[in-house]
Amino acid sequence: MKKALALLIAAALTGCGSESDENQAIKIVAAHNQTNISSPYQTGMLKLKEVAEQSGFFNVEVHAGTIGTNENELVEKLVLGGADVVLVSPGFMTSAGIDEVDLFSLLYLFEDYDHWEKVVDGEVGDQIADLIFTKSGEKYRVIDYWTAGVRHWYGKQPINTIADAEGMRIRTQTSGVVSKYWQEIGAVPTSVAWAELYQALSSNVVDGSENAYPYLVPMEHHKTDNGKFISETGHDYTTRLLLVRNSVWTDFTDQEREAFVKAVTEATAAERQALYAEEDQYKQQAINDGATVNTLDRAPFIEVAQEIQTEWAASVGLTDVLNTIHNTK
């Protein structure tokens, strides 16, 4: 992404800067959908605010779920001017008709965080960012990639083999490549709102769910009978998209844009490191609270996922991109 941002700066029209007086800070409204003010999302946004305001060019207002917890709503505000920077998942993009972004929803796409970083910070990240800019009608740009952790199965019983998932009602996406994967291994994708999941696990509405430690543990899902077994499937190194409204970006002067990019770069590093640190912290908390954690042979699960990857990539013309990801070391 650093390469992409550098190219964007170089390509910007010189002189089409902000009309505000140079001594008046530009207001930037930055928002995410997590109401937890200690979340890595918030850590990143606060770093964005800190570094951007140090430049003297900006006044950043951070909203943690206060102007919308629904990603569609956040992007609508971004387009209409109610927000200037928002963080969203690939799932939003596919619902907006940008099917290629489901690339980042493919399960078992990444081997570890190092692999994930090399992909999103490299050529593939630049390609997807360009595609989103074009397919959004040039309304917004991806300015960097954040993460929501590595997701695992948790439920009323551990998952050691594919057979263990048979018939399990799992709270997950009920359409797209994620749903297709869980169906392929015999589970039953079930729609439950995040805020209602604790009750759904407690009352047998679902047999399990899947998420990362920093999200499932603070919600105490591991304390329910249907969430106490955590199987480290490691099926999804999640990608989140940090978007800026294009009209905001193009109104920056070169100096303002440089300062903004610096703030974004430091915010990205802060968000990722906060998340990485929380993985171990919340795993240990889950164990201390009585959850049972098991590892498993992921090879059979990966084999199923790779068949879906190949089929999906061919259907949207991204076979070369998928191969690039697989060959990135």
Side-chain angles (χ1 to χ4, degrees), residues 28-31 67 74 77-86 245 248:
I28 299 291
V29 175
I67 63 170
L74 287 179
K77 283 185 167 63
L78 181 73
V79 171
L80 297 178
D84 304 299
V85 175
V86 299
R245 191 168 69 257
V248 171

Side-chain angles (χ1 to χ4, degrees), residues 133-279:
F133 177 58
T134 300
K135 287 209 162 185
S136 74
E138 301 187 356
K139 293 183 178 70
Y140 43 77
R141 300 175 179 271
V142 176
I143 49 173
D144 225 326
Y145 294 98
W146 291 11
T147 181
V150 56
R151 297 169 84 101
H152 306 291
W153 157 274
Y154 57 101
K156 67 180 184 180
Q157 68 182 45
I159 297 292
N160 286 293
T161 68
I162 288 178
D164 293 332
E166 183 69 33
M168 292 292 102
R169 295 163 299 169
I170 178 175
R171 183 267 183 184
T172 189
Q173 295 179 31
T174 54
S175 63
V177 293
V178 173
S179 176
K180 183 171 183 178
Y181 170 79
W182 290 106
Q183 289 176 320
E184 284 290 320
I185 67 169
V188 181
T190 306
S191 179
V192 176
W194 178 247
E196 299 169 5
L197 183 51
Y198 180 93
Q199 183 60 32
L201 290 165
S202 301
S203 57
N204 292 316
V205 172
V206 291
D207 301 308
S209 184
E210 47 91 32
N211 217 310
Y213 285 113
Y215 292 89
L216 74 93
V217 175
M219 298 296 286
E220 299 191 336
H221 294 168
H222 63 295
K223 293 185 177 180
T224 68
D225 286 342
N226 285 10
K228 64 184 178 181
F229 291 100
I230 303 173
S231 298
E232 293 193 324
T233 48
H235 53 271
D236 188 8
Y237 285 82
T238 55
T239 303
R240 296 296 179 261
L241 312 166
L242 191 64
L243 306 178
V244 62
R245 191 168 69 257
N246 189 47
S247 60
V248 171
W249 177 267
T250 56
D251 277 351
F252 289 155
T253 65
D254 289 347
Q255 196 173 9
E256 290 164 352
R257 192 173 295 109
E258 182 179 0
F260 188 73
V261 169
K262 180 178 186 293
V264 167
T265 300
E266 294 196 28
T268 297
E271 192 275 341
R272 292 180 185 179
Q273 290 307 313
L275 190 286
Y276 299 160
E278 286 189 358
E279 293 273 19

Side-chain angles (χ1 to χ4, degrees), residues 250-313:
T250 56
D251 277 351
F252 289 155
T253 65
D254 289 347
Q255 196 173 9
E256 290 164 352
R257 192 173 295 109
E258 182 179 0
F260 188 73
V261 169
K262 180 178 186 293
V264 167
T265 300
E266 294 196 28
T268 297
E271 192 275 341
R272 292 180 185 179
Q273 290 307 313
L275 190 286
Y276 299 160
E278 286 189 358
E279 293 273 19
D280 289 337
Q281 171 192 333
Y282 282 115
K283 175 179 178 177
Q284 189 58 53
Q285 182 177 325
I287 293 170
N288 292 346
D289 288 341
T292 299
V293 176
N294 69 287
T295 58
L296 61 148
D297 177 10
R298 297 174 181 171
F301 296 86
I302 293 172
E303 184 176 348
V304 173
Q306 287 181 337
E307 291 176 1
I308 294 172
Q309 291 174 17
T310 300
E311 179 184 334
W312 176 87

